[in-house]
Amino acid sequence: AYISNPTMEIETRLEGLDEQLAGGSITLLSKDGKHLEVDRKHAYISNVVKTSLENDATAKVLPIIGVKGDTLTLIVEYMKHRNGKEPALIKKPLRSKRMKDCVRDESDASFIDGIECKRSLYDLILAANYMDINSLLHLGCAKVASMIKGQPLERIKAILDVKPVAESNRRGNENKQKPLRRK
C-alpha cells in the first residue's frame, strides 16, 4: 500500500510482514552438516521452518537436526517443486496402485515414484513428519499404501520390513545402507 503525505508529497511503500519474511533464501543445515539453500517462500511449506523464520526473520541458516543430508536434499527438491504451495489432498482409500492415478499433480507422482530405495522412502516420511510437511507426509504414506495395496500378507511384511542402517552381524561388522537412487 502507498501512503501519500499531502503536505510533503512523499509516497512511502509499506510492506507486510509476509512480504518481508518471504523474500530471499534460507540455508537448511542437515544433521550431518550438509548445507542446502532454498527460497524462503518455498520453505514455508514446512510448518517447522515457517515458525522458526517467523520467530527469527533475520535467520540465514536453519539447523534441521533430525534430518540427514540425503533426505533433506529430497525435501528441498519437493519444496522447490511445490513452490511453497500445498497440493490437493490425496483421496482415501486409494483408487489405484499407480500413484499418478491417486494424485492430481502428476509431477508429485513422478517425484515419489522416483524414490526406489525403501529406506530412503521411509526416511523421507519420517523427515516430513519431523519438519511438519503434511502434503509430503501424506504423499509418502500414500506411496507405501500403493505398494501394499492388494498384496498378500507375506508380501506386505516384506515391503514393510526395513533393516536398520547399521545392523551388526555376528562378527561385529556393519552392513552398509544402499546409496540413494533416483530415476
Side-chain angles (χ1 to χ4, degrees):
Y2 286 89
I3 297 177
S4 179
N5 183 337
T7 55
M8 300 180 80
E9 297 182 15
I10 297 174
E11 290 188 348
T12 307
R13 185 171 179 353
L14 300 177
E15 290 184 346
L17 183 58
D18 287 341
E19 288 180 41
Q20 292 173 359
L21 293 176
S25 62
I26 184 77
T27 299
L28 303 179
L29 176 62
S30 70
K31 78 177 188 179
D32 53 359
K34 189 168 187 176
H35 291 77
L36 296 158
E37 191 169 319
V38 64
D39 287 346
R40 286 176 181 250
K41 66 180 182 178
H42 295 165
Y44 268 33
I45 201 166
S46 164
N47 289 319
V48 168
V49 172
K50 183 178 181 181
T51 301
S52 297
L53 293 177
E54 285 172 348
N55 290 332
D56 182 6
T58 62
K60 300 286 184 215
V61 177
L62 185 61
I64 308 294
I65 59 173
V67 181
K68 292 181 186 173
D70 289 342
T71 306
L72 192 57
T73 299
L74 290 172
I75 288 175
V76 167
E77 181 182 334
Y78 181 78
M79 288 174 168
K80 290 176 180 178
H81 157 71
R82 293 298 333 155
N83 263 339
K85 297 177 184 150
E86 290 283 333
L89 291 175
I90 298 171
K91 292 184 180 180
K92 297 161 194 83
L94 297 181
R95 297 174 288 171
S96 170
K97 291 175 69 169
R98 295 176 15 182
M99 287 303 295
K100 70 179 185 175
D101 296 335
C102 299
V103 295
R104 289 194 183 152
D105 186 347
E106 203 168 300
S107 60
D108 281 344
S110 297
F111 172 80
I112 204 70
D113 285 340
I115 301 171
E116 296 176 352
C117 175
K118 283 191 305 185
R119 169 53 52 199
S120 297
L121 176 61
Y122 296 154
D123 286 346
L124 182 66
I125 292 168
L126 291 171
N129 186 51
Y130 176 82
M131 293 180 68
D132 199 6
I133 308 172
N134 290 323
S135 58
L136 183 55
L137 177 62
H138 289 276
L139 181 63
C141 289
K143 174 62 180 177
V144 173
S146 74
M147 291 165 50
I148 65 174
K149 185 177 179 78
Q151 297 293 331
L153 180 60
E154 291 305 314
R155 180 73 181 125
I156 292 171
K157 286 179 182 179
I159 290 169
L160 297 178
D161 183 35
V162 176
K163 304 290 183 224
V165 174
E167 181 181 90
S168 297
N169 64 17
R170 290 182 194 172
R171 297 180 189 196
N173 296 330
E174 293 184 351
N175 295 327
K176 301 279 183 180
Q177 176 184 356
K178 292 181 183 177
L180 175 69
R181 291 185 295 178
R182 301 253 314 137
K183 284 184 182 177

